[in-house]
Amino acid sequence: MIREFLKDNMQVRIYSTREGMGNSAAALAAQCLRELLQRKDEVNLIFAAAASQVEFLDAIALEKNIPWERVNAFHMDEYIGLPVTHPQRFGNFLDKRIFSKLPLKKVYYLNETGDDTEAESARYAALLQKMPPDVTFMGIGENTHLAFNDPHVADFNDAALVRIIDLDEPCKQQQVHDGCFPSVADVPSWAYTLTIPALLRSTYIFCMVPGKNKAQAIKHTLTEAVTAKYPSTALRNHRNAVLFLDKDSAALIL
């Protein structure tokens, strides 16, 4: 690890490589899960689907001595308008990367049927109310979004847990940068997202943000005032949030 410090309430840990970042985040997350499962019958997790999460997801899938059969999994956002079998749907990404590798008690998919209705927001919100999240595994977008809470829709006091929102252009461009779509025109314009209050309800947050394309977003996250103009700054108010960076994403703050 290169450096470790606090920014407001959030712990920041910087590593020399993406792999080191992912492995360390997975080890600490696994320790957290084991401790939670010692005092709770079940644990509820929220996962992010993004290229930034690959090293972490690969590493945590290999962690031993976690009773995954007592763990429920959710994910934090999903496109609207893609066929249910489309490889870029976030549920399919997570199923391939993590869900299919673990004997989870239950996976709750967002917009699993592809109905694309407002009723789906209410259904998923009801599940999150019934099973409050213990841990959120997430990233930060190039425009500082959390899930699909882009700056133009982010609301730190949103009363809803799940919303349908429109993606801004920087968010669409990130999907191209990540290799998810060949062009901005191919990126869906609408998606479901857990709101910022829904994400921050978790007792613990592990936020993994590697890569040079995230350097400016990390600078904003750590140096700007806490405001919805930069949604990721909300993490600084959470008392159990850890931000994991590599030297590329941390380049503008080192």
Side-chain angles (χ1 to χ4, degrees):
M1 185 166 59
I2 296 174
R3 186 181 172 197
E4 182 178 10
F5 61 94
L6 282 176
K7 178 60 179 181
D8 298 331
N9 293 316
M10 181 175 67
Q11 183 181 5
V12 182
R13 299 167 66 99
I14 304 173
Y15 297 83
S16 57
T17 67
R18 290 179 70 120
E19 291 76 16
M21 178 214 71
N23 290 338
S24 179
L28 290 172
Q31 179 181 342
C32 177
L33 292 180
R34 294 185 194 104
E35 291 173 357
L36 282 168
L37 286 161
Q38 286 179 355
R39 61 179 189 266
K40 299 189 65 173
D41 292 334
E42 293 183 13
V43 167
N44 304 312
L45 309 180
I46 298 173
F47 287 86
S52 64
Q53 306 300 295
V54 167
E55 291 81 9
F56 166 75
L57 294 174
D58 288 350
I60 200 167
L62 298 175
E63 284 286 339
K64 306 298 184 183
N65 302 317
I66 299 175
W68 292 107
E69 66 278 3
R70 291 163 50 204
V71 175
N72 299 303
F74 295 82
H75 57 110
M76 61 182 58
D77 43 17
E78 186 59 272
Y79 292 116
I80 288 175
L82 293 182
V84 294
T85 57
H86 197 289
Q88 299 307 334
R89 280 177 61 99
F90 292 143
N92 295 334
F93 173 96
L94 287 169
D95 186 65
K96 180 180 179 179
R97 278 286 174 186
I98 188 76
F99 295 161
S100 64
K101 298 179 180 180
L102 301 174
L104 294 161
K105 180 172 184 179
K106 178 71 175 178
V107 177
Y108 294 94
Y109 291 96
L110 180 54
N111 197 22
E112 183 174 15
T113 63
D115 289 340
D116 299 341
T117 66
E118 286 284 0
E120 175 63 5
S121 298
R123 182 193 74 87
Y124 213 67
L127 288 171
L128 292 168
Q129 287 280 24
K130 182 180 178 182
M131 292 175 284
D134 296 289
V135 187
T136 294
F137 301 126
M138 67 190 314
I140 292 172
E142 292 178 15
N143 64 355
T144 72
H145 72 209
L146 300 180
F148 273 140
N149 295 283
D150 292 331
H152 74 292
V153 295
D155 182 354
F156 290 1
N157 299 302
D158 201 324
L161 297 180
V162 184
R163 287 197 182 276
I164 291 176
I165 55 85
D166 61 310
L167 280 60
D168 70 13
E169 290 306 304
C171 177
K172 291 181 182 179
Q173 188 63 59
Q174 178 182 325
Q175 312 312 310
V176 178
H177 291 165
D178 286 348
C180 300
F181 296 92
S183 71
V184 169
D186 296 301
V187 181
S189 296
W190 295 85
Y192 292 97
T193 187
L194 272 63
T195 62
I196 287 175
L199 297 170
L200 299 191
R201 287 173 77 217
S202 287
T203 306
Y204 301 96
I205 294 176
F206 292 80
C207 185
M208 287 64 70
V209 192
K212 62 182 180 180
N213 288 344
K214 301 295 181 70
Q216 190 64 58
I218 291 304
K219 182 179 180 180
H220 289 319
T221 301
L222 297 176
T223 64
E224 299 289 347
V226 176
T227 169
K229 181 180 179 181
Y230 302 103
S232 56
T233 58
L235 294 170
R236 286 161 40 195
N237 287 335
H238 196 284
R239 294 193 176 277
N240 292 304
V242 186
L243 177 62
F244 296 86
L245 309 174
D246 69 355
K247 64 180 180 182
D248 292 329
S249 60
L252 299 181
I253 62 167
L254 286 173

